[in-house]
């Protein structure tokens, strides 16, 4: 089993009302979570990215009000206070250039002695693109075309130095990039930084099968996980790759209690904290595309229909068709007699694994044994101590059963993941 830690703070999972919650930008928060993950022998530490502060009805979104620091800068600092933990940065392939980003990633790989990873994301969001010189707009169909050539170009740059330390000129000419010159950073300790792809779409799955070492996904049930796992692994052969060449790691949440019943009670309270009355209205407004401040969160769902592309929410990805999601919410609310807030809690915030340490360990192991995942990226609800209970209470059980490592076998992220160093193609 592979395990990774996602730093919380910029998603709806995070509970800021909890008195144990701390800063999402102070360096001590990053250090706490990273060192906890390394104490638990996790494969890597994972940072999200935000290139523009999200807006809701013309105001900065609550989770962005204190800012979003740049991932690679944070990870370069964490390299000095960790020894084995992989360091994964989310960096956008739409708004960066191959030479500059390949150089920054190779530098992190050197500073960390071979622990760097790049989570490749794309964007067709013109709102985010306003922060960039060329306007940033990219047709949705072109996102993965650019990303695929971006990754291939970065690998050409990393391969422009021989394993023996000799620099050679590079020249790349393609539809997206035409560059030539000499790369400034020698071949890094693990050959290439590990490449992660986040996406569930058909395009995302195909891109991961062709170019990624890890796919960061989400699926809520064992059956959905099996289907996704089988689909993505089956795509690898077309690119001359083996099933173990790509690790499938869904993002998950975990709630632990002394007993299963206690964990269920704790999970319910966390869901209520995540969806306060105010947050319930905000969640509904994101879906309806309307100002719903006049509605009672403890009353029925709005009777009006959603407004598509209203521009009320900017910089956030909406998953699913709003009309279809609203219909599903109404069906759930009617069947169970739920208020607006209760419906939001019921449909948007269910934790992935809930139970005693023994129950959680057994369920995680079952997902891996039954080929629904190769491991998990844990997304805690508290910053920065949300991983403590899992490392202290669940990890020892996984280690005792042989499902997870007791010690790191190597020093690089590729060694943690069981991935071979890329063959030099200079």
């Amino acid at each position: 089993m592979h395990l990774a830690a996602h730093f919380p703070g910029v998603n709806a999972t995070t509970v800021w009302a909890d008195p144990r919650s701390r800063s999402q930008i102070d360096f001590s928060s990053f250090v706490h979570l990273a060192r906890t993950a390394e104490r638990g022998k996790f494969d890597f530490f994972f940072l999200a990215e935000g290139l523009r502060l999200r807006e809701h009805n013309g105001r900065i979104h609550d989770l962005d009000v204190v800012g979003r620091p740049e991932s690679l800068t944070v990870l370069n600092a964490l390299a000095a206070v960790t020894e084995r933990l992989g360091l994964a940065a989310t960096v956008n392939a739409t708004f960066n250039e191959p030479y500059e980003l390949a150089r920054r990633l190779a530098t992190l790989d050197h500073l960390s002695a071979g622990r760097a990873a790049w989570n490749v994301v794309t964007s067709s969001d013109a709102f985010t693109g306003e922060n960039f010189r060329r306007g940033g707009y990219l047709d949705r169909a072109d996102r993965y075309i650019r990303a695929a050539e971006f990754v291939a170009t970065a690998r050409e740059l990393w391969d422009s130095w021989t394993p023996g330390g000799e620099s050679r000129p590079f020249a790349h000419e393609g539809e997206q990039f035409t560059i030539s010159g000499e790369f400034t950073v020698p071949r890094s300790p693990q050959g290439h930084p590990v490449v992660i792809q986040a996406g569930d779409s058909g395009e995302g799955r195909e891109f991961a099968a062709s170019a990624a070492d890890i796919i960061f996904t989400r699926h809520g049930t064992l059956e959905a996980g099996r289907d996704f796992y089988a689909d993505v692994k089956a795509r690898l052969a077309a690119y001359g790759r083996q099933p173990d060449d790509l690790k499938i790691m869904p993002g998950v949440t975990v709630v632990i209690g002394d007993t299963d019943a206690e964990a269920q009670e704790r999970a319910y309270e966390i869901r209520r904290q995540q969806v306060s009355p105010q947050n319930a209205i905000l969640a509904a407004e994101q879906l309806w595309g309307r100002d719903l401040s006049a509605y009672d969160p403890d009353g029925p769902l709005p009777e009006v229909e959603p407004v598509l592309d209203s521009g009320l929410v900017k910089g956030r990805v909406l998953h699913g068709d709003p009309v279809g999601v609203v219909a599903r919410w109404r069906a759930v609310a009617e069947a169970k007699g739920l208020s607006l807030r209760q419906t939001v809690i019921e449909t948007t915030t269910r934790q992935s694994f809930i139970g005693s340490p023994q129950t959680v360990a057994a369920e995680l192991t079952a997902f891996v044994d039954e080929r629904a995942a190769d491991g998990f990226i844990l997304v805690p609800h508290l910053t920065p101590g949300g991983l403590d209970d899992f490392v202290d209470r669940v990890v020892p059980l996984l280690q005792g059963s042989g499902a997870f490592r007791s010690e790191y076998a190597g020093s690089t992220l590729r060694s943690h993941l069981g991935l071979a160093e890329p063959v030099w193609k200079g």
Side-chain angles (χ1 to χ4, degrees), residues 29 70 140 179 189 226 234 260 271 278 291 319 381 409 417:
S29 292
E70 196 275 324
R140 187 172 185 87
I179 58 175
R226 281 176 179 155
D260 290 352
R271 290 198 291 271
Q278 178 189 11
D291 182 341
H319 298 283
H381 70 279
L417 294 165

Side-chain angles (χ1 to χ4, degrees), residues 51-52 92-97 122-144 146 176 309:
L51 295 179
R52 180 163 181 174
N92 198 299
T94 305
F95 301 120
N96 285 281
E97 297 297 322
T122 65
S123 177
S124 58
D125 178 13
F127 172 72
T128 300
E130 290 175 359
N131 277 350
F132 295 86
R133 177 173 54 85
R134 59 185 173 82
Y137 184 78
L138 192 67
D139 285 337
R140 187 172 185 87
D142 293 335
R143 292 182 307 153
Y144 283 114
R146 178 182 170 90
Q176 301 293 320
D309 302 320

Side-chain angles (χ1 to χ4, degrees), residues 216-424:
F216 174 35
T217 182
R218 59 179 191 168
H219 37 255
T221 66
L222 183 65
E223 292 73 23
R226 281 176 179 155
D227 290 344
F228 183 90
Y229 190 97
D231 176 76
V232 173
K233 295 282 187 176
R235 297 172 187 250
L236 292 166
Y239 300 97
R241 306 181 69 195
Q242 300 299 314
D244 286 343
D245 291 342
L246 176 66
K247 308 300 180 183
I248 296 176
M249 298 182 67
V252 300
T253 56
V254 175
V255 179
I256 303 166
D258 290 338
T259 65
D260 290 352
E262 181 184 300
Q264 290 290 347
E265 292 177 5
R266 184 173 295 175
Y268 177 72
E269 182 56 33
I270 290 170
R271 290 198 291 271
R272 286 181 56 82
Q273 290 178 306
Q274 290 167 334
V275 185
S276 65
Q278 178 189 11
N279 287 345
I281 294 296
L282 292 176
E285 287 180 341
Q286 291 169 19
L287 187 58
W288 262 265
R290 295 173 177 267
D291 182 341
L292 301 177
S293 57
Y295 285 81
D296 180 2
D298 294 318
L301 270 64
E303 68 282 359
V304 295
E305 294 305 312
V307 177
L308 302 181
D309 302 320
S310 68
L312 185 78
V313 179
K314 296 182 178 180
R316 290 179 62 88
V317 177
L318 182 63
H319 298 283
D321 167 44
V323 174
V325 176
V326 165
R328 180 168 62 85
W329 279 25
R330 285 173 172 160
V332 170
E334 182 177 356
K336 298 186 177 183
L338 303 179
S339 68
L340 171 58
R341 183 186 179 197
Q342 290 170 330
T343 302
V344 176
I345 292 172
E346 177 73 18
T347 57
T348 65
T349 59
R350 189 164 303 281
Q351 286 82 6
S352 308
F353 297 96
I354 304 170
S356 67
Q358 293 79 8
T359 295
V360 169
E363 291 182 351
L364 291 170
T365 302
F367 262 67
V368 175
D369 287 347
E370 298 188 34
R371 299 189 177 185
D374 293 311
F376 308 93
I377 298 177
L378 273 69
V379 186
H381 70 279
L382 283 179
T383 305
L387 201 62
D388 295 6
D389 272 358
F390 184 89
V391 167
D392 292 337
R393 304 183 69 186
V394 178
V395 167
L397 298 176
L398 296 172
Q399 292 170 329
S401 69
F404 187 62
R405 69 172 67 89
S406 295
E407 294 292 340
Y408 289 111
S411 60
T412 69
L413 178 53
R414 287 188 178 276
S415 68
H416 305 341
L417 294 165
L419 297 172
E421 181 176 322
V423 176
W424 181 64

